[in-house]
Amino acid sequence: MADYETITTRKQGAVTLVTINRPDALNALNTTVLADLIEAFRDFDGDEGQRCAVLTGAGDKAFAAGADIKEMADKPAADFYAEDFFAGWTEHFTRATRKPWIAAVNGFALGGGCEVAMMADFIIASDRAKFGQPEIKLGVLPGMGGSQRLARAVGKAKAMDLCLTGRMMDAAEAESSGLVARVVEHDRLMDEAMSAAEAIARMAPLAAIANKEAVDAAFETTLDQGIRFERRLFQAIAATSDKAEGMKAFIEKRDPQWTGR
Ligand code: CO8
């Protein structure tokens, strides 16, 4: 496994655990973190033995407290535009990574940190997690899809509230408003996230990808187009050996033996 400067990775069975490792800067996302994470997720997605990933932040305080303000402070506007700054995140985490991954949010998920968490297939949060898009306090706005994904996740009222006031929401509010899938006691976060990932990793791999594609389509299409897309995916997946094995195993009252084909 590659050595990274700003993250650590561990393959545990079929689950890849990726940890943003800049705790002194509350895991702020700088250009090196971006490059390291893209490489780690490329490695995960391309490794047939890996079925699900978990992304978290090192230390007890933060998942990621945002894009690195110190890196951005003196950056000329023309450079943001010329580099299409932040484009790589969305491209990589939402389109290029086909396998499922979970964000395990252990503390602050602010600005770019909240945006990266929202790029995950779902979020499991510690009861100490705090979410927010405080960019307005810096004189800017979310730049990695936060205004769009937050509005889709929690609706206009809360998205406007968070973006315009810059306030944080705690884990309970994030769960009740639909931003996170589960909230667990802080000390149980990684066990919960890893066992959810292991459960996904035990599923037929192509079915996992198809389920992810189908749910994602709900945010890109009309209902009619989405239902048609889902049906076509179902019909395609019905041709896999794992479909035959899954149904046979059910009837024979045994665990399925997936081949990934
Ligand atoms: N970037 C760089 N360093 C950070 C960041 C960050 N986002 N967040 C925290 N740090 C650093 C602090 O500077 C501090 O470093 P040092 O010890 O060297 O002074 C260290 O982490 C610890 O932080 P604090 O001392 O501030 O810890 P507190 O517990 O007092 O406060 C907070 C924690 C509330 C999380 C506070 O650190 C904070 O408000 N952080 C910034 C949160 C924020 O504003 N995030 C949004 C950033 S902007 C963004 O993500 C998208 C920008 C899109 C721009 C689009 C342009 C095109």
Side-chain angles (χ1 to χ4, degrees):
M1 184 160 293
D3 272 341
Y4 298 104
E5 198 181 316
T6 60
I7 65 171
T8 61
T9 60
R10 194 176 81 221
K11 292 185 183 180
Q12 190 172 306
V15 174
T16 300
L17 173 62
V18 182
T19 306
I20 305 166
N21 192 23
R22 301 185 69 211
D24 292 345
L26 302 188
N27 301 319
L29 307 165
N30 64 16
T31 309
T32 313
V33 177
L34 166 64
D36 284 352
L37 282 179
I38 287 179
E39 191 52 41
F41 272 73
R42 190 175 286 137
D43 177 64
F44 154 66
D45 212 49
D47 182 340
E48 264 217 77
Q50 295 300 292
R51 304 278 169 81
C52 189
V54 173
L55 177 66
T56 193
D60 234 17
K61 232 175 133 179
F63 174 77
D68 193 314
I69 297 167
K70 291 165 189 165
E71 188 181 67
M72 290 185 298
D74 297 323
K75 199 175 178 69
D79 287 5
F80 281 108
Y81 196 21
E83 295 165 15
D84 206 5
F85 202 63
F86 296 142
W89 296 85
T90 296
E91 186 53 43
H92 203 81
F93 288 122
T94 59
R95 280 190 276 275
T97 304
R98 299 180 72 212
K99 294 174 187 170
W101 65 280
I102 299 167
V105 174
N106 50 315
F108 293 115
L110 302 176
C114 187
E115 292 172 296
V116 168
M118 289 191 290
M119 291 178 201
D121 295 310
F122 60 94
I123 299 171
I124 299 182
S126 139
D127 54 8
R128 292 192 209 155
K130 294 224 184 308
F131 298 86
Q133 298 291 162
E135 287 90 340
I136 195 163
K137 294 181 175 174
L138 302 169
V140 289
L141 69 156
M144 290 186 234
S147 60
Q148 305 305 297
R149 289 201 179 86
L150 192 62
R152 280 165 172 77
V154 305
K156 176 177 170 180
K158 269 194 199 292
M160 282 290 190
D161 180 3
L162 265 68
C163 289
L164 289 175
T165 68
R167 79 170 174 92
M168 297 182 209
M169 76 179 166
D170 64 17
E173 185 181 359
E175 185 180 34
S176 67
S177 56
L179 181 63
V180 313
R182 310 180 195 177
V183 176
V184 295
E185 274 173 34
H186 186 73
D187 293 343
R188 289 198 44 245
L189 175 67
M190 292 318 295
D191 283 348
E192 184 84 8
M194 291 302 284
S195 64
E198 281 154 11
I200 294 166
R202 284 193 293 276
M203 304 300 167
L206 295 179
I209 291 172
N211 273 273
K212 168 171 168 154
E213 283 182 3
V215 175
D216 278 341
F219 297 93
E220 305 288 348
T221 62
T222 65
L223 180 60
D224 190 52
Q225 288 166 332
I227 288 169
R228 190 179 297 265
F229 178 70
E230 179 199 74
R231 197 161 64 238
R232 295 289 174 255
L233 264 180
F234 183 99
Q235 290 158 353
I237 285 292
T240 61
S241 310
D242 281 345
K243 171 263 177 188
E245 166 64 6
M247 295 196 178
K248 193 162 179 272
F250 174 82
I251 291 162
E252 292 172 1
K253 300 188 189 298
R254 60 173 175 81
D255 289 335
Q257 301 297 314
W258 309 123
T259 62
R261 289 294 181 268

